[in-house]
Amino acid sequence: MHYLLLTSSVMALIYITAEGHIQVFQKPRFFGVKTGRTVRIYCVASNPSLPTRVEWLKARAYKGHPNPLKTDHRIIKMDKTSIRNDSITIKKVGFEDSGIYFCRLNNTLGPGTELQVSRHSDPESVLKRSRIKDLLIFLQGFLLALCAIVPVVWLYKQEKKEDAVYEEPEVDHTYEGLEIEHCGDIYEDISTLPPGPDAVWEVELPDQE
């Protein structure tokens, strides 16, 4: 009788200890899918024989505070059976489904499964966006080059205008071709003209004072 009580106490203690230190595993740990896909996240206990109470939570990041996950026609919770573990299925995922999903068994939180949803695109759309991006890069480079060249050209034209304003005047060539020898002959001819009443002017010689 004493052995029976002792055995029962040990079994109960082992059960309580195992229940208090249950380990929770999730698989997969990461999902990266396109929009419109269907994903399934599994929650597995370290001791499958123990009765468990499963809760699903969602957070924006690993360090964020997880909130209870609401199920609907897209997000379906599936309980554990003899042939499968607890899981959730998310149909037709969208951007709003991205986040960290946690399962909690008997108040023990799992490691979490990250779900990243990206936009689905076909090769033609990707090529078209790439060409548009290249065109925008070319236009930006052209505008930058234009902004750098225009001020230089403007300054060059301003300097040319200033040089034209301060340019030296052309040399006056009024007396060009008139040599000094010819000037001497003119003065001698003027001095030998005879004075007369009809003369407009006369030259006074030094000895006529």
Side-chain angles (χ1 to χ4, degrees):
M1 185 67 179
H2 293 287
Y3 289 105
L4 181 60
L5 290 175
L6 181 60
T7 304
S8 300
S9 300
V10 172
M11 292 297 293
L13 183 61
I14 294 173
Y15 178 81
I16 294 173
T17 304
E19 186 179 7
H21 293 83
I22 187 174
Q23 292 183 342
V24 182
F25 305 94
Q26 291 184 221
K27 58 180 183 180
R29 294 294 305 277
F30 175 80
F31 262 123
V33 296
K34 303 291 186 180
T35 55
R37 297 286 299 276
T38 298
V39 299
R40 181 173 294 174
I41 303 173
Y42 293 93
C43 185
V44 183
S46 58
N47 190 351
S49 62
L50 293 177
T52 55
R53 184 179 66 258
V54 181
E55 298 175 275
W56 288 94
L57 305 97
K58 179 185 177 183
R60 292 184 178 273
Y62 277 106
K63 295 183 179 180
H65 179 70
N67 298 312
L69 181 65
K70 297 180 180 180
T71 58
D72 53 20
H73 66 283
R74 284 196 321 110
I75 303 176
I76 304 172
K77 175 184 176 182
M78 303 181 69
D79 296 326
K80 180 180 178 181
T81 65
S82 58
I83 59 175
R84 69 185 180 196
N85 296 302
D86 294 279
S87 65
I88 56 169
T89 302
I90 307 175
K91 298 180 178 180
K92 296 181 179 180
V93 295
F95 297 114
E96 67 279 2
D97 295 319
S98 297
I100 314 298
Y101 291 82
F102 298 93
C103 72
R104 184 161 58 189
L105 298 181
N106 296 348
N107 296 324
T108 301
L109 198 65
T113 297
E114 183 178 359
L115 174 62
Q116 289 186 0
V117 183
S118 58
R119 187 184 302 276
H120 178 76
S121 58
D122 56 285
E124 293 183 0
S125 300
V126 173
L127 181 60
K128 184 177 180 181
R129 288 198 298 268
S130 178
R131 290 176 177 174
I132 293 175
K133 185 178 180 180
D134 293 341
L135 179 61
L136 292 176
I137 293 174
F138 172 77
L139 290 177
Q140 289 178 353
F142 177 76
L143 291 176
L144 289 174
L146 193 63
C147 292
I149 292 174
V150 168
V152 175
V153 174
W154 184 80
L155 290 175
Y156 176 76
K157 290 185 177 180
Q158 290 295 113
E159 291 179 357
K160 294 292 289 183
K161 288 182 179 179
E162 293 178 359
D163 292 342
V165 171
Y166 294 104
E167 186 177 359
E168 296 182 0
E170 295 182 359
V171 180
D172 190 1
H173 300 286
T174 305
Y175 301 100
E176 186 177 0
L178 188 60
E179 300 178 357
I180 190 65
E181 292 82 1
H182 297 163
C183 294
D185 298 340
I186 293 175
Y187 288 124
E188 291 177 358
D189 295 340
I190 293 175
S191 60
T192 55
L193 290 176
D198 297 332
V200 178
W201 49 268
E202 61 183 22
V203 179
E204 183 179 358
L205 298 177
D207 57 351
Q208 293 180 352
E209 294 182 355

